[in-house]
Amino acid sequence: MEDSKFEASITDDRPILVSKQEIEKRRRINFDTLGSFAVDNIPINPDTQHIFQDFEEGKIATSKEVKALLHAHYTKIALEDN
């Protein structure tokens, strides 16, 4: 498997778009979700993990934006495979 293309996005300078309380809530939810994935042995996609991390850290404001970014990512991959 090739290395993730998105490692640089983790250290970007984008502003935080949500409150500290919201970030803490997202961190707890993400921690629980990743734990569930581990228990169910579901692999994490390294090419999309940055999207979830950016949401968790408040650099993406809404889950609607997350869905749009994931849709764009997987649509691009589907088009490349054809």
Side-chain angles (χ1 to χ4, degrees):
M1 178 187 269
E2 69 183 54
D3 291 337
S4 175
K5 303 171 197 113
F6 300 105
E7 290 178 24
S9 70
I10 295 171
T11 59
D12 66 26
D13 292 331
R14 286 180 292 161
I16 305 301
L17 304 172
V18 298
S19 69
K20 288 182 181 183
Q21 293 86 354
E22 178 65 18
I23 290 171
E24 288 303 317
K25 176 182 164 189
R26 290 177 182 190
R27 286 178 180 165
R28 284 190 308 275
I29 291 169
N30 193 48
F31 180 80
D32 291 343
T33 302
L34 291 176
S36 295
F37 282 13
V39 167
D40 290 338
N41 208 20
I42 299 171
I44 296 171
N45 183 344
D47 290 333
T48 59
Q49 187 58 35
H50 72 284
I51 296 171
F52 296 102
Q53 288 171 340
D54 287 347
F55 178 72
E56 178 183 337
E57 295 302 319
K59 295 178 180 179
I60 298 174
T62 66
S63 58
K64 184 177 180 178
E65 291 173 81
V66 170
K67 290 176 188 176
L69 290 167
L70 290 170
H71 178 73
H73 173 78
Y74 286 109
T75 299
K76 179 181 174 191
I77 288 176
L79 293 173
E80 290 172 355
D81 288 343
N82 288 328

